[in-house]
Amino acid sequence: MVDVLALVEARLRTALGEPDARAAVTFLGTDRVEVLRFQGDNQDGTVVRYATLGMSAQPMSDPTSMLADPVAGPRAELVLSVRGGLADTDKVLRPLAVLAASPQVEGVIVAPGASLDVGEPLWPGAPFTSVLVAEPGGLVEDLELDAPLDPVRFLPLLPMTPNEAAWKRVHGAQALQERWLTNGTDLRDPSRKSVPLD
């Protein structure tokens, strides 16, 4: 059987460089989830990226299925990008691991357009308790696996304020993303305010 996580880590290193820190979290009854931190300077200044490693070890299964398919089904890892040095964002490791474990713990399929809520600030003082799952393929390309395995998709997470999350539930993910775009919202700002929603 192919070692999916070794391939995933290799893809992350190719796309983001060498991780400078990693932490592992294990929840009762689930596989271990690691969170890797990548720091790099680019034209926008220092952006810190956090990527999960472990969520894709098992395919996500339909919560209505009686038996989970051990082979077929969507696979994903989560990627969060924030500006470095503006907040204690390293405390996001545990919330990210919680989100990455949710398919195993709660039987949910994490897909673009979904909202994921951790019920507490993503890091100390953060104005966000939830994230919007964005479309993959931009920062880290999908990782194709040998058939019959589905590819691993690297899903960007966009932090949402409680007001934005509530607005998104009514109007949808696309409308919220358009609102962010129209207002020039810096989604990597770890202390940004909610976008105007009136």
Side-chain angles (χ1 to χ4, degrees), residues 155-176:
L155 302 171
L157 300 180
L158 308 175
M160 292 189 292
T161 66
N163 283 348
E164 289 170 340
W167 197 85
K168 181 252 174 192
R169 279 194 293 277
V170 175
H171 299 280
Q174 185 67 39
L176 178 58

Side-chain angles (χ1 to χ4, degrees), residues 12-191:
L12 287 169
R13 287 172 186 268
T14 300
L16 305 176
E18 286 299 309
D20 71 333
R22 63 197 304 151
V25 181
T26 305
F27 302 99
L28 193 63
T30 68
D31 296 332
R32 185 170 100 141
V33 174
E34 287 189 275
V35 180
L36 281 55
R37 184 181 71 188
F38 301 85
Q39 297 204 63
D41 291 318
N42 56 32
Q43 67 271 24
D44 299 329
T46 301
V47 173
V48 184
R49 304 189 195 284
Y50 301 93
T52 62
L53 180 63
M55 182 176 170
S56 61
Q58 306 289 332
M60 294 181 274
S61 57
D62 185 334
T64 60
S65 299
M66 292 297 287
L67 285 173
D69 190 316
V71 177
R75 293 174 189 259
E77 296 289 354
L78 308 175
V79 181
L80 174 70
S81 301
V82 292
R83 295 198 183 285
L86 302 176
D88 188 8
T89 55
D90 280 352
K91 295 288 196 304
V92 78
L93 299 179
R94 185 167 177 80
L96 270 184
V98 168
L99 296 179
S102 62
Q104 284 188 61
V105 174
E106 299 170 31
V108 297
I109 293 180
V110 177
S115 301
L116 303 175
D117 197 317
V118 294
E120 61 185 26
L122 293 175
W123 51 82
F128 321 106
T129 61
S130 62
V131 293
L132 174 65
V133 182
E135 290 290 336
L139 190 60
V140 185
E141 286 184 31
D142 291 356
L143 173 65
E144 296 294 334
L145 301 173
D146 293 337
L149 303 182
D150 285 29
V152 177
R153 304 170 88 199
F154 297 87
L155 302 171
L157 300 180
L158 308 175
M160 292 189 292
T161 66
N163 283 348
E164 289 170 340
W167 197 85
K168 181 252 174 192
R169 279 194 293 277
V170 175
H171 299 280
Q174 185 67 39
L176 178 58
Q177 289 178 298
E178 286 170 8
R179 184 63 61 109
W180 282 334
L181 197 60
T182 302
N183 285 273
T185 306
D186 181 0
L187 296 173
R188 293 176 179 169
D189 180 350
S191 54

